């Protein structure tokens, strides 16, 4: 036999586990023909894996994002006649491959499933039910004896003859884990589909083929347990819709009627010695069964009302030796970056070629006198934006004239730029500071606030330029860092930005111009545009949120502004974003700086910038939005990072409202009065929010944000208690 081992990976968070998985394949008693590591849409992980794994083929997933697509990519690339799958957070014992492949020499055996042992972070918890070890991706009590037939193997350790994929196609892309979303059952559906076509073939269990599957502490919680049970119910509903309830639920019916009752009875004996563990175990068995059943019912209704339209991917091309046999391989079009093109709408106009390897979609920014006055999505034809289309685009913004009155250098005040950082990516901080030092401004300083948790982490050396100072703030949180920064700053006004942006060369000058030209203005917010659209999550952020900025026009706001807006001034994000804002020094002193119980680095996760602007407006001050003050932000590149950001936005938004009510209870009545309008704003069409009028935003991300909003009040209370003695509260 010629086994190819396929390992799918999607996150750097499991890097050490991935290394162990790959290394364990190199010490097998049956050597694999090849080890293939499939990277699921993570460029940084792909680069690191290619550098680290000598003799291992590292390729990118070129099918639909998720575990199913990644496995299909591995199948299409494999040269072996047996395809073996190992999870990226599991390592194999030395005889694993030999024992896993041994039964495949028997007549009628198409595939095998190994034995997956949980690799606990400490000693095995007594309270965890062994019949539910599948929640952790491990072999569970109730599986048959060695060599017995099974409906399907567990995905963390399984071997299949390659002929399965030429006969039945690949894993269905509508199933399978995507990032951290705990769906699955793609191997179940594939095995049932194949067995329907080849009833003479079977899958067997190989208990002596042992792998150790890591169990992180995060999975040892009731919340994760129940969410995994719910997801399993949803997945089984989808499988049943594809292959029928009989095949889709046959093993589960046997498990519920036999294995689970036996474990309940055996657990009763624990009450004498470990009553709390016994009670928790029985509670999990009962609640897990009920939640899985509820997920099955919910999923059944969902797929009945919205039938699944997923076709299995035909991977016969991997088996084809003859050139005259047609290939039906149809991978999803790989994601290609979207180019951002700036066009002077004053003309002249000609064709513009888009860089190779980019999407046909192009985000075009109309510029006049160096300022963005309009944005629109255009389609490239044969790699070019056509001159006639560019001219039409320019005509739509012909009347846009930026109001930029210049102020003499002698009249510009001294400025301080504060950059708080935990220096997660030192190279990003260096890039930000480098662009700050290239600003076209006569008199300014840069104050970098080191807010790292540990001084052992790397930090750049900025001692080569006297305009840069580095100060240390040991209290965690971006508010504490910003407060320290403005207190040591020497400028007449203080501008704030983050360590993941690039500032325009005229950024600080535009801020200062607005302060000079509008003496009544207490604070200024600027325009934030994307620095790149290299990944889908970066595009989602622009499409759904409108990025950080939804306006390209100058705005001056006080308490009486926007009489036609029923939500004002409680509409978040109207004034500015934390990565592009500036305040007069006396204004920051008047409002007490940024609230320490809000912001990144605290349980509240955000809202500190909203609170600062809101405090200015509601206490009689004035805020300006200056579109000429431009920074470009590097949005979150991966779906995992973006989901965390979306959740944090939900938490921070709710925390901001709770904070305002906490400090001034009268806000509660104002918020309740505006609540219907706010809900209508939140649920309106996503394409309506998009600056280019389109949206491909996945619906589940809105649910993540809603969960964050629900969590926000409790998160704020925890944060407020931690900072209750702070003078800024």
């Amino acid at each position: 036999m010629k086994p190819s081992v396929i390992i799918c990976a999607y996150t750097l968070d499991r890097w050490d586990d991935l290394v162990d998985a790959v290394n364990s394949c190199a010490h097998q008693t049956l050597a694999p023909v090849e080890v293939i590591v499939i990277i699921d849409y993570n460029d940084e992980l792909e680069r690191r894996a290619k550098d680290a794994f000598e003799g291992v083929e590292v390729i990118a997933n070129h099918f639909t994002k998720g575990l199913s697509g990644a496995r299909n990519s591995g199948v299409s690339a494999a040269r072996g006649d047996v395809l073996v799958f190992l999870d990226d957070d599991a390592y194999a014992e030395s005889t694993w491959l030999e024992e896993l492949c041994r039964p495949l020499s028997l007549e009628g055996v198409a595939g095998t499933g190994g034995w997956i042992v949980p690799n606990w972070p400490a000693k095995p918890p007594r309270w965890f039910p062994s019949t539910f070890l599948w929640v952790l991706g491990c072999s569970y009590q109730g599986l048959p004896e060695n060599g017995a037939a099974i409906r399907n193997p567990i995905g963390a350790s399984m071997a299949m003859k390659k002929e399965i994929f030429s006969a039945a196609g690949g894993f269905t892309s509508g199933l399978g884990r995507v990032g951290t979303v705990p769906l699955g059952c793609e191997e179940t559906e594939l095995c049932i589909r194949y067995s329907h076509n080849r009833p003479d073939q079977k899958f067997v269990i190989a208990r002596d083929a042992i792998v150790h599957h890591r169990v992180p502490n995060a999975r040892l919680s009731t919340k994760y347990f129940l969410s995994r049970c719910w997801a399993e119910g949803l997945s089984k509903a989808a499988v049943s819709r594809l292959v029928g309830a009989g095949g889709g639920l046959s093993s589960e019916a046997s498990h519920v009627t036999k294995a689970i009752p036996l474990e309940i009875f055996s657990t009763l004996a624990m009450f004498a010695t470990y009553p709390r563990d016994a009670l928790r175990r029985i509670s999990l068995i009962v609640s897990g069964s009920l939640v899985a059943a509820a997920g099955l019912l919910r999923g059944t209704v969902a797929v009945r009302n919205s039938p699944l339209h997923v076709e299995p991917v035909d991977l016969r091309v991997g088996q084809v030796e003859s050139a005259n046999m047609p290939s039906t391989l149809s991978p999803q079009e790989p994601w290609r970056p979207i180019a951002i093109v700036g066009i002077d709408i004053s003309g002249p106009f000609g064709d513009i070629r888009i860089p190779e390897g980019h999407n046909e979609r192009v985000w075009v920014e109309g510029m006049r006198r160096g300022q963005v006055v309009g944005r629109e999505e255009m389609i490239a034809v044969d790699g070019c934006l056509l001159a006639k289309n560019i001219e039409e685009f320019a005509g739509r913004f012909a009347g846009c004239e930026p109001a930029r009155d210049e102020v003499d250098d002698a009249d510009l005040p001294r400025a301080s730029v504060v950059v708080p950082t935990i220096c997660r990516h030192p190279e990003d901080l260096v890039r930000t500071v480098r662009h700050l030092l290239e600003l076209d401004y006569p008199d300014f300083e840069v104050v970098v606030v080191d807010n790292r948790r540990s001084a052992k982490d790397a930090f750049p050396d900025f001692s080569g330029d006297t305009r840069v100072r580095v100060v240390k703030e040991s209290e965690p949180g971006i508010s504490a860092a910003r407060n320290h920064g403005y207190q040591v700053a020497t400028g007449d006004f203080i501008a704030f930005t983050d360590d993941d942006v690039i500032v325009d060369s005229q950024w600080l000058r535009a801020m200062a111009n607005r302060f000079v030209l509008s003496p009544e203005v207490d604070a200024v917010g600027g325009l934030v545009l994307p620095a790149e659209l290299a990944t889908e999550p970066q595009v989602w952020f622009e499409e759904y949120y409108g990025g950080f900025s939804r306006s390209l026009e100058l705005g001056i706001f006080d308490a009486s502004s926007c009489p036609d807006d029923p939500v004002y001034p409680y509409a978040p994000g109207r004034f500015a974003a934390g990565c592009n804002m500036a305040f007069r020094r006396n204004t920051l002193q008047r409002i007490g700086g940024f609230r320490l119980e809000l912001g990144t680095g605290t349980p509240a996760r955000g809202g500190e910038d909203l609170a600062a602007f809101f405090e200015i407006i509601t206490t009689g001050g004035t805020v300006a939005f200056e579109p000429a003050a431009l920074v470009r932000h590097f949005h979150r590149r991966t779906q995992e990072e973006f989901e965390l950001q979306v959740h944090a936005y939900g938490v921070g938004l709710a925390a901001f409202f709770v904070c305002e009510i906490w400090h001034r209870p009268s806000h509660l009545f104002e918020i309740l009065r505006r609540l219907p309008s706010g809900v209508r704003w939140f649920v309106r069409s996503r394409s309506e929010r998009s600056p280019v009028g389109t949206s491909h935003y996945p619906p589940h991300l809105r649910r993540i944000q809603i969960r964050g909003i629900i969590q926000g009040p409790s998160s704020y209370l925890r944060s407020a208690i931690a900072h209750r003695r702070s003078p800024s509260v």
Side-chain angles (χ1 to χ4, degrees):
M1 293 182 186
K2 299 177 181 178
S4 296
V5 178
I6 299 170
I7 305 172
C8 303
Y10 72 95
T11 176
L12 279 165
D13 293 341
R14 294 183 179 180
W15 174 255
D16 292 339
D17 298 322
L18 178 60
V19 171
D20 290 342
V22 172
N23 288 342
S24 69
C25 296
H27 302 91
Q28 294 296 310
T29 54
L30 172 63
V33 172
E34 60 190 346
V35 176
I36 305 173
V37 175
I38 309 296
I39 306 300
D40 190 22
Y41 292 88
N42 188 324
D43 294 340
E44 184 178 357
L45 177 59
E46 183 182 352
R47 288 192 297 270
R48 186 170 181 180
K50 285 181 177 178
D51 291 340
F53 298 141
E54 185 176 354
V56 174
E57 186 173 1
V58 178
I59 63 176
N61 175 17
H62 55 274
F63 288 91
T64 305
K65 184 173 185 176
L67 184 56
S68 290
R71 284 176 172 167
N72 287 337
S73 294
V75 172
S76 66
R79 295 181 288 110
D81 53 15
V82 173
L83 306 185
V84 182
F85 298 88
L86 177 67
D87 273 6
D88 63 340
D89 54 355
Y91 66 90
E93 294 191 359
S94 60
T95 58
W96 164 68
L97 196 54
E98 182 178 1
E99 296 295 342
L100 193 63
C101 292
R102 190 189 304 278
L104 294 175
S105 61
L106 302 175
E107 184 71 24
V109 176
T112 60
W115 195 255
I116 302 134
V117 178
N119 181 14
W120 304 104
K123 61 181 181 179
R126 284 186 292 263
W127 51 265
F128 201 98
S130 58
T131 50
F132 278 77
L133 283 171
W134 55 264
V135 166
L136 306 175
C138 299
S139 301
Y140 51 90
Q141 182 179 315
L143 287 173
E145 293 303 312
N146 190 46
I150 53 176
R151 183 190 61 187
N152 62 274
I154 298 176
S157 172
M158 59 184 180
M160 297 181 180
K161 292 181 179 178
K162 198 170 187 179
E163 64 192 42
I164 290 176
F165 300 95
S166 61
F171 297 96
T172 299
S173 61
L175 300 171
R177 178 182 289 265
V178 178
T180 59
V181 181
L183 300 179
C185 297
E186 68 283 356
E187 63 270 9
T188 304
E189 188 273 337
L190 172 63
C191 292
I192 295 172
R193 177 166 22 107
Y194 177 71
S195 297
H196 281 178
N197 296 330
R198 293 292 305 273
D200 59 316
Q201 298 290 303
K202 64 181 179 180
F203 299 87
V204 301
I205 192 167
R207 282 180 173 246
D208 295 328
I210 299 173
V211 303
H212 299 261
H213 194 280
R214 188 172 76 89
V215 180
N217 282 314
R219 295 188 181 183
L220 295 179
S221 68
T222 301
K223 179 181 179 181
Y224 179 85
F225 182 93
L226 295 179
S227 69
R228 187 67 185 83
C229 292
W230 174 262
E232 184 73 5
L234 294 176
S235 300
K236 284 298 188 295
V239 170
S240 299
R241 183 74 174 87
L242 290 167
V243 301
L249 300 175
S250 58
S251 294
E252 286 70 24
S254 175
H255 189 65
V256 169
T257 57
K258 296 178 181 178
I260 287 180
L262 286 175
E263 180 161 31
I264 291 177
F265 285 128
S266 65
T267 303
L268 294 175
M270 289 177 54
F271 272 97
T273 50
Y274 304 106
R276 295 182 63 181
D277 290 331
L279 180 61
R280 187 176 182 185
R281 182 191 289 185
I282 290 179
S283 299
L284 288 177
I285 292 173
V286 174
S287 59
S289 301
L290 293 175
V291 168
L296 177 64
L297 291 174
R298 175 68 182 88
T300 302
V301 172
V303 298
R304 183 178 300 158
N305 294 336
S306 302
L308 292 171
H309 298 288
V310 287
E311 293 294 333
V313 179
D314 189 344
L315 294 163
R316 285 180 292 175
V317 68
Q319 290 288 100
V320 173
E321 297 292 343
S322 172
N324 59 14
M325 180 179 289
S327 167
T328 55
L329 180 65
S330 54
Q332 183 191 42
E333 179 79 10
W335 169 260
R336 290 179 296 166
I338 294 177
I340 302 172
V341 176
I343 295 175
D344 188 340
I345 63 175
S346 302
F349 307 113
D351 292 352
I352 297 178
R353 177 157 293 279
I354 304 305
E356 290 188 12
H358 280 66
N359 208 300
E360 64 178 6
R361 300 168 58 197
V362 182
W363 282 38
V364 180
E365 298 174 351
M367 316 282 291
R368 190 185 291 277
R369 292 200 291 161
Q371 183 175 325
V372 179
V373 296
R375 303 172 71 193
E376 193 171 294
E377 183 177 297
M378 298 175 65
I379 301 298
V381 179
D382 295 329
C384 284
L385 292 178
L386 301 182
K388 64 176 183 177
N389 296 333
I390 296 173
E391 188 171 0
E392 291 174 359
F393 164 79
R396 288 190 283 275
F397 299 100
C400 299
E401 186 69 30
R404 289 188 62 179
D405 295 326
E406 295 297 331
V407 176
D408 292 338
D409 284 2
D411 297 325
L412 292 174
R414 176 169 171 76
S416 296
V417 181
V418 173
V419 185
T421 181
I422 59 172
C423 208
R424 182 179 287 111
H425 302 290
E427 65 279 5
D428 291 349
L429 175 61
V430 170
R431 179 186 60 206
T432 296
V433 173
R434 185 181 73 249
H435 280 83
L436 287 171
L437 294 176
E438 295 171 357
L439 284 168
D440 174 20
Y441 197 79
D443 185 16
F444 72 99
E445 65 172 350
V446 178
V447 180
V448 178
V449 185
D450 177 3
N451 198 215
R452 291 175 297 166
R453 307 296 182 270
S454 171
K456 296 180 181 178
D457 298 331
F459 199 88
D461 181 10
F462 296 115
S463 59
D465 197 306
T466 57
R467 291 173 296 174
V468 182
R469 283 190 293 155
V470 178
V471 297
K472 175 67 178 174
E473 173 53 56
S474 57
E475 183 170 356
I478 196 168
S479 290
R482 284 176 175 154
N483 286 346
H484 189 170
Y486 98 76
Q487 288 164 359
V488 301
T490 60
D492 298 311
F493 75 92
I494 295 90
F496 296 89
T497 192
D498 290 344
D499 61 2
D500 53 358
V501 305
I502 294 175
V503 299
D504 182 77
S505 62
Q506 300 295 309
W507 171 65
L508 203 55
R509 183 178 292 273
M511 289 284 197
N513 283 349
R514 184 49 48 203
F515 280 123
V516 174
L517 296 171
S518 304
E520 76 281 9
V521 166
D522 296 286
V524 179
L527 181 64
V528 185
L529 296 180
E532 62 178 8
L533 295 173
T535 67
E536 284 185 284
Q538 292 180 325
V539 178
W540 295 339
F541 181 76
E542 286 295 315
E543 289 180 338
Y544 182 74
Y545 288 98
F548 287 101
S549 305
R550 300 186 183 91
S551 175
L552 299 174
E553 298 179 355
L554 175 67
I556 306 292
F557 304 97
D558 57 26
S560 61
S561 300
C562 307
D564 297 330
D565 184 349
V567 182
Y568 185 84
Y570 295 86
R574 175 186 289 273
F575 308 119
C579 63
N580 188 5
M581 58 186 183
F583 299 80
R584 296 187 191 273
R585 173 181 295 279
N586 58 2
T587 298
L588 284 173
Q589 293 169 340
R590 176 172 65 82
I591 66 173
F594 298 92
R595 293 194 182 278
L596 295 180
E597 73 271 33
L598 294 175
T600 307
T602 72
R605 309 288 296 277
E608 80 295 340
D609 47 354
L610 302 179
F613 287 115
F614 184 77
E615 181 71 13
I616 293 172
I617 291 291
T618 56
T619 56
T622 302
V623 175
F625 176 76
E626 175 54 75
L630 170 66
V631 306
R632 294 194 178 272
H633 182 265
F634 287 88
H635 303 336
R636 304 297 189 270
R637 293 178 63 94
T638 69
Q639 180 169 335
E640 185 177 8
E641 292 172 329
F642 184 62
E643 288 175 352
L644 292 173
Q645 181 187 29
V646 169
H647 183 264
Y649 280 171
V651 174
L653 176 61
F656 157 68
F657 285 122
V658 173
C659 174
E660 296 305 325
I661 294 170
W662 181 275
H663 289 278
R664 207 174 305 163
S666 61
H667 284 310
L668 175 61
F669 304 103
E670 296 296 327
I671 291 172
L672 290 176
R673 184 167 64 84
R674 292 169 171 83
L675 188 59
S677 298
V679 172
R680 285 194 296 272
W681 174 86
F682 184 78
V683 301
R684 67 179 174 160
S685 167
R686 289 185 292 277
S687 60
E688 190 179 338
R689 300 187 190 194
S690 171
V692 293
T694 61
S695 178
H696 306 80
Y697 190 79
H700 82 275
L701 293 172
R702 178 174 287 187
R703 295 193 292 273
I704 292 176
Q705 185 180 20
I706 292 173
R707 287 200 295 270
I709 291 173
I710 294 172
Q711 180 184 325
S714 61
S715 296
Y716 172 74
L717 291 176
R718 287 193 292 117
S719 189
I721 291 172
H723 295 289
R724 62 187 180 274
R725 294 188 178 90
S726 170
S728 297
V729 177

